[in-house]
Amino acid sequence: MSETPLILDHVLRHAAGQPDRVYLTQPVGGGQVVDFTWAQVVDQARRMAAHLQAQGLPRGARVAMLSKNCAHFIIAELAIWIGGYATVAIFPTEKADTVRYVLEHSEASLLFVGKLDTWDEQRAGVPVGLPCIALPLAPASAVGAGMPRWDDIVARTAPLAGAPDRKGDELAMLLYTSGSTGTPKGVMSSFRAFSAAAEGFARFSRDRIGQQIDGRLLSYLPLAHSFERSCVEGASLVDGRTQVFFAESLDTFVQDIKRAQPALFISVPRLWLKFQQGVFHKMPPKKLDRLLSIPILGRIVAKKVLTGLGLDKTIAAASGSAPIPPDLIAWYRRLGLQLLEGYGMSEDNSYSHASTERFSEPGYVGMPMEGVQVRISDDGEILVKSPAQFSGYYKQPELTAQSFTEDGFFRTGDLGERRADGMLKITGRSKELFKTSKGKYVSPAPIENELNAHPMVEMSMVSGSGHPEPFAVVVLGEELRPRLADAAVRKEVESEMAALLKDLNAKLPDYEQLHCIVIAREPWSIDNGMLTPTMKLKRARIEQAIGPEVDGWYRKRGVVWA
């Protein structure tokens, strides 16, 4: 064991000290689940590690995974690490061209194919001759094509013995960014950096839910992304007393979350908003607000709402990956759910800032986490130095050098302000700033936050570079969209959006006031290429799609139907 414990040291300690404790719970269809104990997890990982070594892969070789979240994503990652290799996880929704780019750029030696919805399209991106192994929930077409099966391999392979000797500065994983601004970058994370993030999040989670209970988590945000990888996988590998449940599908999500009964629930703003809109679909906001304000009855109603969401056993909840409207945080806290916002990025394994019970004002992303240093540059950029900091961008030394200050702080690209007590507020992203024809810069994110807080709005984008005034495009809520054929519903939407535009413009400085709110014809999604796999806007793609219509919108005012 290394002098400072690394992630595998924690894993092997759990397997030796509590071999029969259930660690992973995987749904397999028909309401059935399969549990994996710590002993089973490490035994399977050791057997697959032995198989990988038998293939003659050199130490440090990159081994890729293309899979939705499942138990064997984590087990395969442990096998890769125990065998002496580094992981390259590809988002399970990526198209074939991105799959090919990541596999070729990372020089992957092998690919694990797991639980997927679109494998038949994605496999065109796998280079001819690249060895592949099918995880237990891999598509039937992968197994049917003769791909070697995980279960067959571990059944015939003896486990790799002894403690793996991984150094702190060795590459543990390449995290390919989800590509909201072009080609994905390979973020290099060492074992020391990832272990620091995992240990930090394990401590943070325990401080929230208490030391006495066994933790329960639902893993459903992409494990290929830094946020879920550090906060769920990493923290649970360190903690040892957290059982991780997986979601089976979108259709079973409510049953999945109720099975998990998570003590800590982690999500992204887009989904917190979607949960709220689902509640509003069953009960109008004004009625719910009135009921919540009634003593005793309000607590009963709040409990019923949280039970309906599957969050009645949740002690603490977290939101990250993108800004969340302060009003949305306040709404959940009124229900009795302590929703905390955090801030981080792939380059620091998501280990940067977090709210706590003491420092949790909506609109702020909290305080620096243990060991994190932060300062604001002269031009307002947030600079961070984290113990979980990345080693650089793979094959991009010039970009790596540009990304750090002389004294080792990472240039986040985010703009922010710090209060005297250290609380950090994100005010925008420098790359998202655009200039109107009046020569004024507009930061879209804070305006979008205001728009997204409206019950009818699912998401929004503020744009208008080179025009006299900015404008906003909004996607209406999922429950509302099918009802737009009704003239009365359209009239109500127009009235609400007109009031939103008026109220919002009254708060904004004159150069940020919106010319119009445009109601999008079609929702933005991962499938149509308008959102990244982590549900961030692909601004350039959306702006390209709406480009031909923008001049026509400027000839109108108020609420415009696209």
Side-chain angles (χ1 to χ4, degrees):
M1 185 176 288
S2 59
E3 192 173 317
T4 301
L6 298 175
I7 194 78
L8 286 177
D9 297 325
H10 294 287
V11 170
L12 298 181
R13 189 180 76 247
H14 302 324
Q18 47 183 16
D20 298 327
R21 179 187 282 274
V22 173
Y23 171 39
L24 305 173
T25 296
Q26 176 66 54
V28 292
Q32 302 300 304
V33 298
V34 174
D35 290 331
F36 296 90
T37 64
W38 277 105
Q40 290 169 330
V41 165
V42 172
D43 178 68
Q44 286 200 27
R46 284 184 177 278
R47 291 171 187 272
M48 183 54 68
H51 175 77
L52 294 177
Q53 287 192 355
Q55 307 315 297
L57 302 187
R59 186 180 178 99
R62 274 73 62 207
V63 178
M65 288 195 289
L66 178 62
S67 178
K68 294 167 74 173
N69 296 18
C70 60
H72 278 85
F73 183 110
I74 294 178
I75 302 172
E77 178 138 74
L78 293 176
I80 293 166
W81 289 343
I82 290 169
Y85 313 114
T87 313
V88 182
I90 304 173
F91 284 95
T93 52
E94 294 288 23
K95 307 294 185 191
D97 57 347
T98 303
V99 171
R100 179 176 293 276
Y101 173 81
V102 173
L103 290 173
E104 291 180 346
H105 186 264
S106 67
E107 300 174 89
S109 299
L110 184 142
L111 173 66
F112 285 108
V113 177
K115 185 180 179 184
L116 295 165
D117 295 329
T118 57
W119 167 246
D120 291 340
E121 292 82 44
Q122 291 168 315
R123 63 178 159 189
V126 180
V128 175
L130 182 71
C132 296
I133 294 174
L135 298 181
L137 295 177
S141 58
V143 179
M147 192 180 293
R149 296 169 66 244
W150 172 285
D151 286 344
D152 295 339
I153 292 169
V154 299
R156 65 172 183 257
T157 307
L160 192 67
D165 179 26
R166 302 310 303 263
K167 308 299 184 187
D169 58 358
E170 272 191 277
L171 183 67
M173 62 179 75
L174 281 177
L175 289 158
Y176 277 84
T177 58
S178 51
S180 60
T181 55
T183 307
K185 300 188 293 287
V187 175
M188 297 189 289
S189 182
S190 69
F191 277 100
R192 183 180 296 110
F194 183 70
S195 300
E199 289 168 1
F201 279 118
R203 285 192 302 270
F204 184 84
S205 299
R206 274 289 155 200
D207 287 346
R208 307 281 81 72
I209 66 173
Q211 300 296 329
Q212 307 309 315
I213 69 168
D214 290 337
R216 296 167 73 93
L217 285 169
L218 179 68
S219 177
Y220 67 100
L221 300 173
L223 274 167
H225 187 258
S226 163
F227 185 46
E228 187 86 351
R229 199 77 151 279
S230 295
C231 300
V232 172
E233 179 186 345
S236 65
L237 287 172
V238 168
D239 182 76
R241 292 194 295 126
T242 295
Q243 186 173 351
V244 179
F245 294 76
F246 295 90
E248 183 176 351
S249 68
L250 198 58
D251 293 337
T252 64
F253 188 77
V254 173
Q255 296 98 291
D256 294 330
I257 194 170
K258 288 182 176 178
R259 177 193 299 119
Q261 296 185 317
L264 175 67
F265 186 73
I266 299 168
S267 195
V268 293
R270 166 86 173 79
L271 293 174
W272 284 119
L273 189 61
K274 205 170 179 65
F275 296 158
Q276 184 198 49
Q277 288 176 336
V279 172
F280 287 165
H281 183 58
K282 295 176 181 176
M283 184 181 294
K286 289 179 181 175
K287 181 179 179 182
L288 178 60
D289 185 58
R290 190 173 65 252
L291 292 174
L292 289 174
S293 65
I294 300 173
I296 302 176
L297 177 62
R299 289 199 297 275
I300 296 170
V301 171
K303 180 78 170 175
K304 187 174 181 181
V305 170
L306 291 177
T307 301
L309 293 171
L311 300 177
D312 50 310
K313 299 289 195 302
T314 302
I315 299 168
S319 179
S321 184
I324 184 170
D327 288 351
L328 191 58
I329 294 178
W331 184 81
Y332 278 102
R333 290 184 183 174
R334 195 176 180 202
L335 292 177
L337 187 68
Q338 182 68 13
L339 179 55
L340 304 172
E341 187 173 9
Y343 167 66
M345 48 188 54
S346 300
E347 286 84 352
D348 52 31
N349 281 289
S350 294
Y351 187 76
S352 177
H353 283 70
S355 300
T356 64
E357 291 74 13
R358 183 181 170 198
F359 296 101
S360 61
E361 186 175 327
Y364 288 80
V365 294
M367 302 287 282
M369 300 184 80
E370 188 176 333
V372 172
Q373 302 172 56
V374 62
R375 67 174 188 246
I376 307 296
S377 73
D378 292 341
D379 55 1
E381 184 180 13
I382 300 166
L383 307 176
V384 170
K385 187 184 284 188
S386 169
Q389 205 137 280
F390 76 133
S391 311
Y393 296 111
Y394 189 57
K395 297 180 179 177
Q396 293 183 285
E398 290 182 5
L399 180 61
T400 299
Q402 294 165 11
S403 300
F404 287 93
T405 63
E406 289 184 3
D407 57 348
F409 279 75
F410 175 66
R411 304 179 191 274
T412 66
D414 290 316
L415 304 174
E417 303 167 353
R418 293 189 82 201
R419 286 196 327 203
D421 61 5
M423 285 272 278
L424 179 66
K425 184 175 189 176
I426 312 295
T427 57
R429 182 149 183 83
S430 57
K431 290 180 181 176
E432 292 173 357
L433 290 176
F434 62 86
K435 189 189 286 188
T436 66
S437 61
K438 296 176 181 176
K440 294 285 192 177
Y441 281 101
V442 175
S443 180
I447 305 173
E448 290 160 359
N449 256 348
E450 295 281 352
L451 292 164
N452 294 345
H454 192 282
M456 285 187 173
V457 176
E458 187 169 290
M459 63 184 100
S460 65
M461 186 187 78
V462 172
S463 187
S465 177
H467 291 277
E469 301 163 305
F471 65 91
V473 183
V474 303
V475 173
L476 297 176
E478 188 176 4
E479 292 82 10
L480 187 58
R481 294 195 296 267
R483 297 164 49 214
L484 292 177
D486 186 330
V489 173
R490 285 176 72 92
K491 187 174 180 182
E492 183 188 359
V493 169
E494 283 192 28
S495 174
E496 286 283 335
M497 291 300 102
L500 175 60
L501 180 62
K502 182 180 178 183
D503 292 345
L504 182 53
N505 278 344
K507 300 178 189 175
L508 295 172
D510 57 356
Y511 63 90
E512 286 191 335
Q513 289 176 7
L514 301 176
H515 179 88
C516 57
I517 288 180
V518 181
I519 300 170
R521 274 190 296 272
E522 299 291 336
W524 303 323
S525 67
I526 297 169
D527 290 338
N528 65 22
M530 302 301 178
L531 301 180
T532 72
T534 51
M535 299 185 188
K536 296 188 181 80
L537 300 178
K538 286 192 173 182
R539 294 179 186 273
R541 186 76 65 88
I542 297 171
E543 286 174 342
Q544 183 182 19
I546 64 177
E549 301 179 70
V550 171
D551 287 342
W553 297 342
Y554 273 101
R555 288 193 287 271
K556 304 171 185 176
R557 269 206 177 270
V559 179
V560 178
W561 292 87

